């Protein structure tokens, strides 16, 4: 008979009941997308999962327009849900980020888990971890150290944690291969289609991709660029595209629902990732799984994900000339594009759900059983 806090899977194994704390789309972002996939796929495999969402819709909706009050309207119901859900769980899985998101959402979940004597996994995912931990008050590191287990999605963040005396295990991001799959390579002639699939935020440096695209169009005048994402930099980026003479060749697609993202990659010949801060971007995994060659900056943990010259091409942050040259290498060299495509597909397979699932279930079982990592 299963003990309290465990459920029987279809195969008869007992898995701990899990409380997942994290955001959901919209807006689409790396952590929100990973949280949605994790909860959905765990439930599909018969694991008992209760989600405590950190970004539920405001009720009433007009509260969302009030910058200070809206935090309180969201925080109080959040804390109540945390208390109840953590009391029903055998293990708590907190998806954590840097900055205010840590203080408002991750920290309360960790504290309540300790009060309720429920083991907690801190799944830290912020690309700004180094600068955040360097400036953070001491209690932030103490809370991190208090977790039963710390998990990062990349070796890059594991190294950052080690710098501050914190151990961590690596469980990579999930790529759902039932949704993202390659389409046959197409002949684009003189009209290649490039994509940027990052939110329109300063850290993702979309201006560098736009300026690189100007150089690409000197070789491929009919080239097109789709920027799929939303964010505070939208108006400025559209103005920049106009200044660069790209108004008719760049499409700002806005926010794209997760279910529509495979179609974006299916129509692409190359993906540009110009980010200045990064960890293990979903966009690169999605491009790999879709058979789209990747040209990216070498920010943060990207070199741990993309093998330069093997599964993608890497350039320095902010170097629009190098990004344009790398993209032109892909577009002008069919053999290189095919090799990058194949290597990306092979790499994506290691991030598929069956592999990642086994690692999460092992972590849940170990932590719930009291064998934590300090």
């Amino acid at each position: 008979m299963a003990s309290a806090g465990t459920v029987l899977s279809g195969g008869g194994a007992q898995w701990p009941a899990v409380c997942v704390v994290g955001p959901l789309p919209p807006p689409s972002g790396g952590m929100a997308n990973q949280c949605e996939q994790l909860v959905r796929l765990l439930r599909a495999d018969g694991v008992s999962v209760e989600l405590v969402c950190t970004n539920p819709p405001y009720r009433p909706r007009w509260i969302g327009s009030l910058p200070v009050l809206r935090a309180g309207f969201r925080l109080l119901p959040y804390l109540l849900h945390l208390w109840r859900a953590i009391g029903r769980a055998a293990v708590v899985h907190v998806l954590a980020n840097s900055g205010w998101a840590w203080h408002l959402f991750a920290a309360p979940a960790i504290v309540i888990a300790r009060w309720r004597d429920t083991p907690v996994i801190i799944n830290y995912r912020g690309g700004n971890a180094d600068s955040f931990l360097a400036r953070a008050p001491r209690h932030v590191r103490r809370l991190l150290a208090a977790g039963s287990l710390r998990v990062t999605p990349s070796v890059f963040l594991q190294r950052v944690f080690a710098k501050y005396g914190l151990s961590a295990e690596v469980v990579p991001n999930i790529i759902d291969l039932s949704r993202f799959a390659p389409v046959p390579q197409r002949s684009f002639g003189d009209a290649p289609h490039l994509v940027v699939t990052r939110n329109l935020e300063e850290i993702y440096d979309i201006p560098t991709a736009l300026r690189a695209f100007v150089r690409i169009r000197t070789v491929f005048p009919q080239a097109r660029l789709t920027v799929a994402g939303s964010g505070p930099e939208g108006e400025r980026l559209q103005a920049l595209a106009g200044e660069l003479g790209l108004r008719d060749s760049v499409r700002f697609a806005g926010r794209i629902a997760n279910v529509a993202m495979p179609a974006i990659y299916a129509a692409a010949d190359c993906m540009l990732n110009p980010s200045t801060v990064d960890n293990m971007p979903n966009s690169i995994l999605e491009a790999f799984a879709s058979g789209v060659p990747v040209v990216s900056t070498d920010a943060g943990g990207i070199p741990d994900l993309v093998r330069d010259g093997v599964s993608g091409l890497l350039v320095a942050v902010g170097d629009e000339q190098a990004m344009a040259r790398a993209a032109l290498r892909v577009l002008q060299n069919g053999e290189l594009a095919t090799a990058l495509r194949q290597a990306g597909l092979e790499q994506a397979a290691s991030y598929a759900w069956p592999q990642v699932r086994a690692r999460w279930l092992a972590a849940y079982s170990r932590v719930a059983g009291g064998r934590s990592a300090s």
Side-chain angles (χ1 to χ4, degrees):
M1 181 175 180
S3 61
T6 64
V7 293
L8 292 175
S9 73
Q14 295 184 8
W15 303 119
V18 182
C19 170
V20 173
V21 181
L24 292 178
S28 291
M31 193 158 79
N33 290 340
Q34 284 296 309
C35 185
E36 184 278 328
Q37 287 188 100
L38 177 70
V39 170
R40 171 171 49 85
L41 293 168
L42 282 172
R43 286 174 174 168
D45 281 347
V47 180
S48 175
V49 180
E50 182 168 357
L51 172 67
V52 178
C53 185
T54 57
N55 63 339
Y58 290 104
R59 292 187 176 90
R61 291 181 62 182
W62 57 265
I63 291 294
S65 64
L66 305 177
V68 178
L69 286 178
R70 66 187 182 190
F73 270 79
R74 180 173 275 174
L75 186 59
L76 293 177
Y78 169 69
L79 294 175
L80 181 60
H81 191 184
L82 272 178
W83 181 265
R84 291 172 173 170
I86 289 174
R88 292 188 285 263
V91 60
V92 183
H93 178 164
V94 180
L95 282 76
N97 208 333
S98 307
W100 281 108
W102 167 268
H103 299 293
L104 289 174
F105 303 121
I110 297 166
V111 169
I112 291 175
R114 293 183 68 191
W115 286 346
R116 305 221 60 168
D117 197 26
T118 305
V120 59
I121 296 174
I122 304 171
N123 184 198
Y124 198 95
R125 317 182 68 82
N128 277 317
D130 197 357
S131 58
F132 175 65
L133 292 175
R135 298 192 306 265
R138 290 183 180 177
H139 72 265
V140 171
R141 293 191 209 172
R142 286 199 296 267
L143 269 184
L144 278 166
S148 303
L149 178 67
R150 288 159 297 281
V151 173
T152 68
S154 67
V155 175
F156 165 70
L157 281 183
Q158 186 185 47
R159 289 195 299 266
V160 171
F161 270 41
K163 177 179 175 181
Y164 295 94
L166 296 165
S167 63
E169 293 186 8
V170 175
V171 178
N173 281 345
I174 306 160
I175 182 67
D176 188 349
L177 297 185
S178 69
R179 295 180 54 230
F180 295 93
V183 298
Q185 283 182 277
R186 67 190 188 98
S187 175
F188 53 75
D190 61 353
H193 180 208
L194 295 90
V195 296
V196 174
T197 53
R198 303 308 298 260
N199 282 333
L200 310 186
E201 300 173 17
E202 190 173 350
I203 62 171
Y204 297 127
D205 193 19
I206 310 299
T208 288
L210 293 175
R211 294 188 178 101
F213 186 61
V214 170
R215 297 174 181 273
I216 293 167
R217 277 177 57 84
T218 63
V219 179
F220 292 98
Q222 302 303 313
R224 297 171 295 120
L225 174 66
T226 295
V227 180
S230 62
E233 296 289 298
E235 289 186 9
R236 188 173 75 89
L237 291 170
Q238 292 191 48
L240 176 60
E243 294 168 11
L244 294 173
L246 300 175
R247 197 177 302 277
D248 296 330
S249 56
V250 175
R251 179 172 76 96
F252 288 90
R255 181 182 297 167
I256 304 293
N258 286 346
V259 294
M261 284 306 299
I264 295 290
Y265 293 107
D269 301 301
C270 181
M271 189 196 83
L272 304 180
N273 180 57
S275 54
T276 63
V277 175
D278 234 321
N279 171 31
M280 186 184 188
N282 290 336
S283 55
I284 290 180
L285 290 181
E286 291 169 355
F288 279 170
S290 303
V292 179
V294 171
V295 173
S296 175
T297 59
D298 57 2
I302 292 175
D304 293 310
L305 174 63
V306 179
R307 294 176 59 199
D308 186 28
V310 177
S311 57
L313 300 182
L314 298 181
V315 301
V317 170
D319 193 337
E320 64 203 55
Q321 296 183 39
M323 179 162 280
R325 287 196 299 269
L328 288 171
R329 283 181 61 198
V330 171
L331 298 173
Q332 293 177 307
N333 186 332
E335 290 185 2
L336 173 62
T338 298
L340 295 178
R341 171 185 166 95
Q342 185 58 39
L345 289 171
E346 292 172 2
Q347 194 163 341
S350 63
Y351 304 109
W353 175 237
Q355 283 71 36
V356 181
R357 170 189 182 272
R359 295 167 78 164
W360 276 125
L361 291 178
Y364 296 152
S365 296
R366 189 169 76 251
V367 168
R371 296 184 295 280
S372 64
S374 60

